Amino acid sequence: MATDISLARTALPLALLVGIGGAGPAAAQQRVGVNGAVNVEATGIPPNAPPRRLVIGQPVIFNEHVTTNRLGQTQILFVDASSMSIGPNSDLVIDQFVYNPSTGTGRMAANLARGIFRYIGGKLSKEPNGVSMTTPAATIGIRGGVLLVDVTPAGRIEVIFEYGGGVTVTGLNGVSQTIIRPGYEVVVAGPGASPSAPFPAPPGTTARLLAALDGRPGANGGATVIPTDVMVVESGLPRTVSANIPVSITAAEANRPPPPTAPPVVTVTTLQNQTEINTVSTQATPPGATLPSTPQSLGTLAGSYVDTRGNGTARGFTAQGTPYNRGTLSNGVFSADIDGFGTLQIPLATGNSRFGPGGTASPLGPVSGTSFMSADGTYFYAALTPVNQPSEREFIYGGRAVAPSFYQPDATTRYFAFQIAPDAALGSAIPFIRNATGGALPNPTTSPLFLATPANVPFTGSGTASTRSLQASLAVNGAGPQQNSVIAVATGNAFTGPDSGQPVLNGQIAGSYRANGASSPVRISSGLLTPRDGNGNSFYGGSSVTGFAVDQNNFSTATVPSLASETAYPSLAPTATYGFTQAAVRQALPSGIGAAPTSAAQSGYFAGTMQQFTGPDTTPGATYAVTGTTAVTTDPANLRVAARFSGQNPFVPDASGVSTVTVEFGGLSGPTRGRQGYIDANHFAALESPTAPSQINNAPLTINGDPLQASHVYMVTSGTVPGAISVCQCQYLQWGYWGGELDTPNTAGNAPMRADVGHINTWLAGTPTSPSDIATLAGTNITGTYNGGMTGAVSNNGAQYLASGNFTATYNFAQRSGSLAINNYDGRSFPAMPFSRVSANGANYSITVPSSTTFTGRINGSFYGPMAQETGGNFALQGPPGSNYLTSGIFAGRR
């Protein structure tokens, strides 16, 4: 039977009796961790012992009273793989620490009297009620993850949730608030006060707290003996502090060398990097330590080469790449024989470099260009311009294959982020699209390419689970008829290629571009594939993935040569094709990745406008509105998502002939066909369902019996592409974008007869307020006032664009009456409009737009979160006869 490690006892397992430094046996019996970083002055007072100055590598004793002065900082690495960074003028005591390393169970309790703290959860924080912190004004309960806490001398506390399952703040009066969205905070004004409702933490607040925890270079933590690698290894911490925190895989790990054959030596800096404990500055370089240097010579490298084959840069790399497997790096010069093309030779150095043609060679002659190589030399790429053919481009990449051990299951979900470098030929700032169709638009929001692998699942998947990928970009510039906009959504999944037996990532890209309000949209469609090198590998690095490349091909049982396409409506067939080969380079994981879902099943609303096209010889057909409800279901264990948008045209009859629309996305079972990318609760997307046909007028849409040939749609969370449009920083509901093309087949069922196209529309979904909470609000005669934003698609006298505005709503839960006012939406405002209908349970409402506004339409909404903290819904508005004005979208806000 396993035995708990309780610091109220005197006997501990031998593994925890080994410490760093020269503390005696009595102290060793009560160690809870080690000081991983210190900037003096920081003082500890062990029980029944005199005060001592804290130094790096020194054991932390149970019930030790830790204080810092105005210059002091320290950092505790606990034996359960958690950590606490402590800022200046802080006061902390570990009141309880019970830990069973064989089961990962136990409990930790700390008393934070004053100061600034950053806690990164370990194994205990994953236990129910496993970690709590007491402050003068409240108790903080932690369910995994990362948080910042500021406790003022007057007892005011501020808790900012950065990542994890959630944080509950309970005031001394028993009132509790729970934060589940990263970047939100709760404030308790002082002892006896109630915690505030969660709200978005102002950037300045987070920056202020982190600045207090940032260390000062050059300090050595006061250690008379700097801890050596051997001392750290013998402490047992490398075996205890593990990289279980999803956000801990940083760019430093991406550059880690391959696993050595001998047992690894772990330094204090490596230990801190692996657990993302980097808010206290690293200490002075230990004597005898050496800094990383550029690899001058490596073994055989493999990769792929591609060029524009005399076609210039307008259509990118349309030819298939040529794999190689005999590349070498010697004395800073990379050389490779490209079968059928000749020799390529370029200088190659760590980091980003630029070079001229001297000493270079390529299949197209001498070259100038740019290159990147990881610090350990396991991955590189180079974009090349031939000196004698400056209108052409070449691209080469490669490295060392990732160690097979990386692809094995891990006990926790793993997350990775990669920066997509611009294509060497297309030159677009937005991945996977051309400058001519939106790639050159200013102010784009471009996400990293994310990868997520489920817990206990191999990288290439098992059953319905697999590594998922997600990347999305959005740019919206200008207002009204002069607005231009583009969106691109890429999803995929990893599996073992049957032709090579090696992991491969395959997916799809869907998007849309509109040059201005008067132009028709351009549909963007492409495959997404990691091409293989001469050894059959796609991914490069050492013990983890440092980089790879993606192109526009598809995969069946082997690579299917393909091209990305653009369809400029009213054509129903592609009007242009192109190719790309783009490098993906490991970057630090953005904060908040790995957020747990608030609910596996969410409901809400969607809205937008659709425009009909019937072929190149006709003018665009009718534009109509669509509104309805959403059902979004996620499966975090398998990283899958399914969504159904079921709606209707609110203004029938009209010229469109469309009365109902149902759009199907993703799926929780069956094949994904690379059409969904679930990363976490705030970052996911799905394309058309491979198994469930979308519908128009209740007729399933298939071509040649295949729903994938009749539906080309996308939905993505705004959390994936934040910034372009602002609606609501809500905690209990989220919103996003959807669009694409639905094809009605001809009578033979083998080709599209008509396309109904939505450029960029919107949706929202969340956790509805429970009937019991609604009843409580009614019983206490609560009137809620809500403020938020709204956004929608507009058709204004033939011009198509996105618009935004604000709203204010009030609702008396006891009287079941309320009103909503629209403020400056597309330059129009509507005074308070009364709720015309409220559901029997009081959770849903609707508004019929009064005729006095000269507009007709309807607004539908619901309440979300505990005690109806948020509200959201959809709207559709039609201008007076002759105005040719139509708009439909969503709104969301909080009280």
Side-chain angles (χ1 to χ4, degrees):
M1 177 180 295
T3 302
D4 285 346
I5 299 173
S6 174
L7 294 178
R9 301 174 183 172
T10 57
L12 297 178
L14 180 60
L16 292 180
L17 296 179
V18 181
I20 300 179
Q29 291 179 345
Q30 296 183 327
R31 289 168 186 160
V32 301
V34 65
N35 289 311
V38 182
N39 273 336
V40 292
E41 296 283 337
T43 301
I45 307 176
N48 303 315
R52 59 178 184 169
R53 174 181 290 181
L54 300 182
V55 297
I56 186 171
Q58 183 183 56
V60 176
I61 307 304
F62 168 64
N63 215 23
E64 184 167 2
H65 187 184
V66 176
T67 60
T68 59
N69 69 2
R70 65 183 184 85
L71 298 177
Q73 296 165 305
T74 189
Q75 186 178 72
I76 302 172
L77 310 182
F78 294 102
V79 296
D80 75 319
S82 62
S83 73
M84 178 80 80
S85 295
I86 304 169
N89 295 316
S90 297
D91 189 310
L92 162 75
V93 176
I94 305 299
D95 288 331
Q96 183 181 15
F97 198 98
V98 180
Y99 177 55
N100 184 334
S102 64
T103 63
T105 59
R107 176 168 169 75
M108 171 183 170
N111 187 307
L112 314 182
R114 70 171 188 274
I116 296 173
F117 308 87
R118 187 176 191 236
Y119 175 78
I120 298 178
K123 296 181 177 64
L124 290 181
S125 69
K126 298 176 176 62
E127 291 291 299
N129 303 314
V131 176
S132 65
M133 298 179 186
T134 301
T135 73
T139 299
I140 305 168
I142 301 164
R143 298 198 307 272
V146 182
L147 73 155
L148 283 163
V149 182
D150 183 11
V151 183
T152 70
R156 179 183 184 271
I157 73 164
E158 194 166 11
V159 181
I160 299 178
F161 179 50
E162 295 187 78
Y163 155 82
V167 172
T168 298
V169 181
T170 304
L172 300 182
N173 59 4
V175 176
S176 295
Q177 292 285 352
T178 299
I179 319 173
I180 58 173
R181 282 244 169 142
Y184 277 64
E185 71 168 293
V186 160
V187 171
V188 183
S194 296
S196 71
F199 62 93
T205 300
T206 302
R208 172 180 61 83
L209 299 184
L210 290 176
L213 296 168
D214 285 339
R216 295 173 297 282
N220 64 6
T224 55
V225 178
I226 304 298
T228 66
D229 294 345
V230 173
M231 292 165 66
V232 175
V233 170
E234 289 181 348
S235 73
L237 283 169
R239 297 185 296 274
T240 305
V241 182
S242 60
N244 287 337
I245 303 168
V247 294
S248 67
I249 310 299
T250 62
E253 185 191 2
N255 291 332
R256 205 190 301 171
T261 54
V265 174
V266 183
T267 66
V268 169
T269 300
T270 301
L271 186 60
Q272 291 171 331
N273 286 339
Q274 288 180 337
T275 52
E276 205 197 31
I277 304 167
N278 50 19
T279 52
V280 175
S281 177
T282 54
Q283 310 303 306
T285 304
T290 59
L291 298 175
S293 60
T294 299
Q296 293 295 306
S297 300
L298 293 170
T300 302
L301 306 177
S304 189
Y305 162 88
V306 66
D307 64 40
T308 48
R309 306 289 171 89
N311 298 316
T313 60
R315 295 181 59 221
F317 296 113
T318 56
Q320 296 298 301
T322 301
Y324 67 89
N325 59 3
R326 297 184 302 275
T328 60
L329 177 63
S330 179
N331 297 318
V333 176
F334 172 79
S335 300
D337 291 326
I338 312 299
D339 290 345
F341 289 87
T343 299
L344 185 142
Q345 180 173 295
I346 56 171
L348 198 56
T350 296
N352 293 290
S353 302
R354 184 179 298 274
F355 55 86
T360 65
S362 81
L364 299 183
V367 293
S368 61
T370 59
S371 67
F372 166 83
M373 185 168 67
S374 61
D376 59 4
T378 61
Y379 176 66
F380 78 93
Y381 70 87
L384 311 173
T385 300
V387 174
N388 300 324
Q389 302 181 58
S391 62
E392 303 298 319
R393 294 293 184 272
E394 298 170 277
F395 182 76
I396 190 167
Y397 70 91
R400 286 181 170 176
V402 174
S405 59
F406 168 78
Y407 300 117
Q408 300 305 307
D410 190 86
T412 60
T413 301
R414 294 184 291 172
Y415 301 92
F416 310 91
F418 299 84
Q419 181 181 14
I420 305 296
D423 182 84
L426 298 178
S428 168
I430 298 178
F432 316 136
I433 64 176
R434 299 193 303 151
N435 281 325
T437 48
L441 292 187
N443 308 312
T445 298
T446 299
S447 81
L449 190 154
F450 294 107
L451 294 180
T453 305
N456 304 310
V457 172
F459 183 83
T460 52
S462 175
T464 59
S466 176
T467 294
R468 310 296 180 196
S469 68
L470 169 64
Q471 194 281 324
S473 303
L474 175 69
V476 179
N477 288 278
Q482 303 308 312
Q483 183 184 89
N484 47 37
S485 55
V486 67
I487 190 169
V489 180
T491 64
N493 62 273
F495 55 90
T496 300
D499 57 340
S500 66
Q502 299 295 328
V504 62
L505 181 71
N506 184 215
Q508 297 292 316
I509 301 168
S512 182
Y513 163 68
R514 195 188 290 274
N516 55 65
S519 66
S520 295
V522 177
R523 175 190 158 208
I524 299 167
S525 179
S526 178
L528 184 73
L529 184 68
T530 50
R532 273 76 59 77
D533 61 26
N535 296 325
N537 297 310
S538 291
F539 299 97
Y540 302 93
S543 59
S544 186
V545 178
T546 302
F548 51 91
V550 290
D551 65 20
Q552 76 287 343
N553 291 298
N554 283 294
F555 194 93
S556 180
T557 56
T559 298
V560 179
S562 310
L563 290 175
S565 66
E566 299 165 352
T567 301
Y569 300 103
S571 174
L572 302 185
T575 54
T577 58
Y578 64 98
F580 55 83
T581 303
Q582 296 189 241
V585 180
R586 183 78 163 273
Q587 68 170 67
L589 200 65
S591 63
I593 298 299
T598 56
S599 174
Q602 297 183 329
S603 60
Y605 297 86
F606 80 102
T609 62
M610 303 286 284
Q611 189 173 15
Q612 294 178 335
F613 299 93
T614 56
D617 298 327
T618 62
T619 58
T623 297
Y624 60 95
V626 59
T627 60
T629 59
T630 64
V632 180
T633 307
T634 60
D635 178 6
N638 295 310
L639 300 182
R640 297 186 69 142
V641 57
R644 172 178 292 172
F645 294 0
S646 302
Q648 56 283 319
N649 179 347
F651 300 116
V652 292
D654 66 2
S656 70
V658 173
S659 58
T660 63
V661 175
T662 300
V663 192
E664 301 278 1
F665 304 91
L668 300 183
S669 62
T672 66
R673 301 284 190 262
R675 286 171 165 82
Q676 57 180 255
Y678 183 93
I679 304 302
D680 64 20
N682 299 323
H683 304 82
F684 62 81
L687 309 187
E688 58 275 359
S689 170
T691 55
S694 294
Q695 301 176 33
I696 288 182
N697 293 338
N698 299 316
L701 301 179
T702 64
I703 292 178
N704 295 315
D706 183 4
L708 294 181
Q709 296 184 40
S711 180
H712 313 282
V713 294
Y714 67 86
M715 59 90 70
V716 63
T717 59
S718 62
T720 306
V721 280
I725 298 174
S726 178
V727 174
C728 176
Q729 296 294 323
C730 291
Q731 183 177 200
Y732 299 101
L733 63 80
Q734 62 180 313
W735 64 280
Y737 306 96
W738 73 277
E741 174 185 326
L742 298 175
D743 291 339
T744 298
N746 58 17
T747 54
N750 59 8
M753 176 187 70
R754 186 190 75 213
D756 289 63
V757 178
H759 173 47
I760 301 177
N761 293 318
T762 48
W763 64 272
L764 65 83
T767 306
T769 301
S770 67
S772 61
D773 278 6
I774 296 291
T776 299
L777 292 167
T780 52
N781 198 28
I782 296 296
T783 296
T785 299
Y786 298 85
N787 294 282
M790 52 197 306
T791 185
V794 174
S795 177
N796 186 358
N797 203 28
Q800 312 277 336
Y801 53 90
L802 297 172
S804 60
N806 300 299
F807 80 94
T808 299
T810 60
Y811 181 67
N812 183 287
F813 288 90
Q815 300 176 9
R816 296 176 58 196
S817 64
S819 64
L820 183 147
I822 296 175
N823 309 306
N824 196 29
Y825 174 79
D826 194 24
R828 295 166 171 81
S829 296
F830 297 79
M833 297 173 284
F835 290 7
S836 55
R837 180 182 176 276
V838 177
S839 63
N841 62 6
N844 309 304
Y845 57 88
S846 61
I847 299 170
T848 299
V849 177
S851 58
S852 60
T853 65
T854 72
F855 275 68
T856 58
R858 194 171 186 85
I859 301 170
N860 304 290
S862 298
F863 297 104
Y864 294 89
M867 296 299 170
Q869 291 190 27
E870 297 166 0
T871 190
N874 62 18
F875 63 90
L877 303 172
Q878 191 173 43
S883 67
N884 293 320
Y885 185 92
L886 178 69
T887 183
S888 184
I890 62 160
F891 65 94
R894 61 198 307 272
R895 68 181 175 100

